[in-house]
Amino acid sequence: MMTKASLVIVMATIMVVGVFGTNFVSDADALKSKNGASRNTDICGLVLCSDYPGQKEAFDANWSNGFLSNPRTVTNVDANDHSDSHNTSKFVPSSHNADQEFPAQLDVFIHKFELDKISADEALEGMTEVYDAYVKARITSDIIDGVGEKLSLYKKGTFDAATAVEAIHLTAEPQNVDPEYQGALDEVIHKFELDKISADEALEGIKEAHYGFVDLYVTSEIIEAVEGKIALIDSGKLSGAEAVEAIHLTAEPQNVDPEYQGALDEVIHKFELDKISADEGLDLYVTSEIIEAVEGKIALIDSGKLSGAEAVEAIHLTAEPQNVDPEYQGALDEVIHKFELDKISADEGLDGITEVYDGFVGLTITSDIIEDVGEKIALYNSGKLEAADAVEAIHLTAEPQNVDPEFINAVEEHTYQLELDDISLNKAFEGITEVYDGFVGLTITSELIEDVGTQLAVYDSGRVSMEFTLEEIKEIIEKVERAAQKSYSEGGIPEMKELPPNTVDIPAGTGVPGCEVDDWCYMPSSLTAHVGDTITWINSDTLPHTVTSGNADADAVGLDVPNGFDSGFMSADDRFEHTFDVAGLYDYYCQLHPWMQGSVTVE
Ligand SMILES: [Cu+2]
């Protein structure tokens, strides 16, 4: 059993404390200091100073320059001479970008007030004029309305001048409210975590910072959520370190899931190491989608539907949804791999796959991939897919990232053979149609497969020729391929794989020009061997390649070269071997991608 106190300690140790430069002071008078450089506000125009290029110093300099070169934007308030404050503004409000323009207009007065160039009353006078200009132009927005409310609170005497300026400042820049608020709370919470203050002192400080905002009538979803926690403290449901932790997480919702996962992980890890049994509870009134999903699992345990280790595993995966698909894929792969190695039959493979599937469903854990595999199992059970077909369909469904490469490989086997004059147009077309029907028959599809299907349907309608359709299909595939190859080649020079001696790798990304620049189309591109040695080439690309004697400009290539060789079409993962019985220099290239060149020197 994990107590709340120990949970807080766990959380504290995994916690990353965000400390803002902000130093929120609830007394608005204190916001205005004697000189601009040590102002207690961290807002530079519309953004936090930490986000302003060049930060506070640059903002102050830019503001002064802007003011000197374009005093019009400062309306009727002159920093050095207040006597001309009756001058009217030439400023004309616009409606299309009011929420940028309006705060910027107010900012001029706020900034001058903060730099002690004008009094709070003068600032309010200028801001009232800006506000009135918008009201007169009948331009409104949430921000303008919010500022109007603050101005009327000032007129009613609810706010003194300096408080009103600060309230307007935050109202005009709602994007800064949460960061400022979080920063103000963080400062107190951090002191507590460093044991500099007690939990009670921390709660006092939190309330002070919180009510600083509430008293300014400034609010946000986060501020309201913290208000809820403070109400729980006042009602006695939360107290001490617990309450500080609840407020900390409420104020920084982005930290809830990582912290929750970390706390669960600690417990789960102990269980996995057989150090404890599975039983624990959380009661900080902090929630999230993940927390609610785990709550659902706990309800299943309580209802007796899940038990012991099963329940721990279900909660583990629920708390870390990013791990569901990899775990599931890994479990399926184990079974599928055995089938591919002929160690089990397709029926046995399906039994294993079904067991894995039922295992996840039994834990009420699911995902798009798990559901899609479930559909394939149902198709097999209904007799619509045969065992071996079903295994293949499930394999591709469980690893959707492999669908397009497999499809492309299968289609290109036919288009390249046609290009090499090994088969006729009719035969190639027939082969491609079969590939398409094969994937559709396995109820496996993708955008690429659907696009190819559309071209085949157009051909079936009799409106276009076989040549035209084939060209269209090749173009569709090449587009997808170019995108994939481009992303490979943008990865720079691939790392040299650890291969047995006398082995040459054909890396991914060689199907588009570029590999020749740094000479990695074949790796290594030149190799020295001895008479009688056998060299092996491995195609690690998703595209087919060849290893062919000669080069694109040679009169004779492949087997027409004395002691020459030719791999023919090598699909992904295919290997080609050649034994060199005669000493000499052997150039070779790829017939499909002639920029790919390599050589073997035989001594
Ligand atoms: Cu090639």
Side-chain angles (χ1 to χ4, degrees):
M1 174 70 83
M2 193 171 186
T3 64
K4 284 173 190 169
S6 67
L7 179 66
V8 169
I9 292 161
V10 168
M11 287 178 162
T13 58
I14 58 174
M15 201 172 287
V16 179
V17 182
V19 182
F20 286 70
T22 310
N23 180 16
F24 182 79
V25 180
S26 59
D27 179 2
D29 276 329
L31 287 166
K32 178 172 167 287
S33 68
K34 291 304 160 201
N35 61 68
S38 63
R39 278 180 297 126
N40 280 320
T41 179
D42 193 27
I43 296 175
C44 290
L46 296 175
V47 300
L48 291 172
C49 289
S50 55
D51 292 332
Y52 191 89
Q55 309 204 337
K56 196 178 290 182
E57 217 167 86
F59 174 73
D60 287 344
N62 286 340
W63 185 86
S64 302
N65 291 340
F67 170 63
L68 291 174
S69 65
N70 190 14
R72 181 177 75 78
T73 62
V74 190
T75 66
N76 64 340
V77 183
D78 188 291
N80 303 311
D81 180 8
H82 299 156
S83 67
D84 64 350
S85 63
H86 60 276
N87 285 355
T88 52
S89 166
K90 293 192 190 85
F91 162 70
V92 181
S94 72
S95 63
H96 72 281
N97 61 350
D99 277 344
Q100 283 80 49
E101 189 189 71
F102 178 71
Q105 291 294 323
L106 297 186
D107 228 24
V108 172
F109 298 99
I110 294 166
H111 199 67
K112 289 183 86 169
F113 163 68
E114 286 172 351
L115 293 174
D116 271 345
K117 291 189 177 175
I118 57 174
S119 69
D121 284 319
E122 285 165 335
L124 284 164
E125 198 182 312
M127 291 194 284
T128 302
E129 204 168 304
V130 170
Y131 173 73
D132 288 345
Y134 279 85
V135 172
K136 203 174 157 199
R138 292 166 194 263
I139 296 169
T140 191
S141 76
D142 285 347
I143 291 179
I144 295 172
D145 291 346
V147 169
E149 276 168 33
K150 301 292 178 295
L151 284 170
S152 77
L153 284 169
Y154 165 66
K155 275 182 208 151
K156 273 195 276 176
T158 310
F159 288 152
D160 61 34
T163 306
V165 174
E166 182 55 17
I168 289 169
H169 195 178
L170 283 168
T171 305
E173 291 168 2
Q175 75 277 17
N176 290 329
V177 168
D178 281 342
E180 285 241 354
Y181 181 73
Q182 289 169 335
L185 292 193
D186 256 359
E187 199 155 276
V188 179
I189 292 165
H190 196 60
K191 277 187 197 151
F192 166 68
E193 284 172 350
L194 293 175
D195 280 338
K196 289 192 178 165
I197 55 173
S198 70
D200 283 334
E201 283 167 336
L203 285 170
E204 194 87 354
I206 287 169
K207 281 187 186 176
E208 201 177 303
H210 174 75
Y211 287 118
F213 281 79
V214 171
D215 289 347
L216 294 179
Y217 294 87
V218 172
T219 194
S220 75
E221 271 179 41
I222 288 178
I223 294 175
E224 279 164 21
V226 170
E227 182 92 16
K229 295 293 171 296
I230 290 175
L232 284 173
I233 295 163
D234 292 345
S235 74
K237 282 187 185 151
L238 283 177
S239 66
E242 220 174 76
V244 175
E245 183 56 19
I247 288 169
H248 195 180
L249 285 171
T250 305
E252 289 170 2
Q254 71 276 18
N255 291 332
V256 168
D257 281 345
E259 289 222 359
Y260 180 68
Q261 289 169 340
L264 286 190
D265 258 359
E266 190 138 338
V267 180
I268 290 166
H269 194 63
K270 278 188 194 150
F271 166 72
E272 283 172 350
L273 294 174
D274 282 337
K275 287 193 179 165
I276 57 163
S277 71
D279 253 334
E280 67 107 13
L282 258 182
D283 211 13
L284 290 179
Y285 299 89
V286 173
T287 193
S288 74
E289 272 179 40
I290 289 178
I291 293 175
E292 278 163 23
V294 170
E295 184 100 11
K297 295 290 174 295
I298 292 174
L300 284 174
I301 297 163
D302 292 344
S303 74
K305 283 184 186 151
L306 285 178
S307 65
E310 222 172 73
V312 174
E313 181 58 16
I315 288 170
H316 196 178
L317 284 172
T318 304
E320 288 169 4
Q322 72 276 19
N323 290 333
V324 168
D325 282 343
E327 284 238 354
Y328 183 67
Q329 289 167 335
L332 288 191
D333 260 358
E334 200 153 330
V335 180
I336 292 166
H337 196 63
K338 276 187 195 152
F339 165 70
E340 284 174 348
L341 293 174
D342 280 338
K343 290 193 176 166
I344 56 173
S345 69
D347 283 324
E348 286 166 335
L350 280 164
D351 280 346
I353 289 168
T354 305
E355 208 173 294
V356 170
Y357 173 76
D358 289 344
F360 277 77
V361 173
L363 296 178
T364 64
I365 289 170
T366 192
S367 75
D368 283 348
I369 289 178
I370 294 175
E371 279 168 18
D372 289 347
V373 168
E375 276 171 32
K376 299 291 176 294
I377 292 175
L379 284 173
Y380 166 71
N381 287 335
S382 71
K384 285 185 185 150
L385 284 177
E386 280 182 23
D389 282 348
V391 174
E392 181 57 15
I394 288 166
H395 195 178
L396 283 172
T397 304
E399 287 166 6
Q401 72 278 16
N402 290 331
V403 168
D404 280 349
E406 286 238 355
F407 181 75
I408 289 175
N409 245 303
V411 170
E412 286 194 332
E413 200 145 338
H414 301 284
T415 56
Y416 281 125
Q417 277 183 20
L418 175 65
E419 257 169 49
L420 297 173
D421 283 334
D422 284 349
I423 55 171
S424 68
L425 175 65
N426 271 306
K427 200 84 189 148
F429 198 86
E430 200 179 295
I432 290 167
T433 307
E434 244 169 61
V435 169
Y436 171 76
D437 289 343
F439 276 78
V440 173
L442 295 178
T443 65
I444 288 170
T445 193
S446 74
E447 228 177 276
L448 169 71
I449 294 174
E450 279 166 19
D451 287 349
V452 169
T454 305
Q455 295 306 320
L456 291 172
V458 172
Y459 172 76
D460 284 341
S461 74
R463 280 177 288 164
V464 295
S465 69
M466 196 178 273
E467 286 94 331
F468 178 85
T469 302
L470 204 61
E471 282 310 312
E472 292 290 303
I473 289 172
K474 272 165 72 178
E475 206 166 297
I476 289 167
I477 283 179
E478 270 164 25
K479 213 171 135 194
V480 172
E481 216 164 55
R482 269 198 302 273
Q485 291 278 307
K486 198 163 166 278
S487 72
Y488 281 129
S489 58
E490 273 167 0
I493 304 170
E495 240 173 76
M496 188 78 173
K497 284 188 186 164
E498 277 197 35
L499 295 169
N502 289 345
T503 306
V504 179
D505 186 45
I506 304 176
T510 48
V512 289
C515 58
E516 73 280 11
V517 177
D518 290 307
D519 206 19
W520 55 268
C521 300
Y522 296 95
M523 286 182 95
S525 63
S526 56
L527 191 75
T528 302
H530 297 102
V531 171
D533 280 355
T534 299
I535 310 290
T536 304
W537 284 264
I538 303 171
N539 182 10
S540 300
D541 199 2
T542 53
L543 294 188
H545 296 281
T546 78
V547 175
T548 307
S549 287
N551 63 64
D553 302 325
D555 292 334
V557 299
L559 301 175
D560 295 336
V561 175
N563 303 313
F565 48 91
D566 185 12
S567 64
F569 180 92
M570 289 171 73
S571 293
D573 296 328
D574 275 0
R575 284 159 180 259
F576 169 65
E577 285 182 358
H578 180 70
T579 303
F580 291 85
D581 294 322
V582 181
L585 171 66
Y586 296 86
D587 287 327
Y588 64 89
Y589 76 116
C590 174
Q591 284 190 295
L592 308 171
H593 315 106
W595 54 86
M596 297 174 64
Q597 296 186 14
S599 68
V600 178
T601 304
V602 181
E603 296 172 340

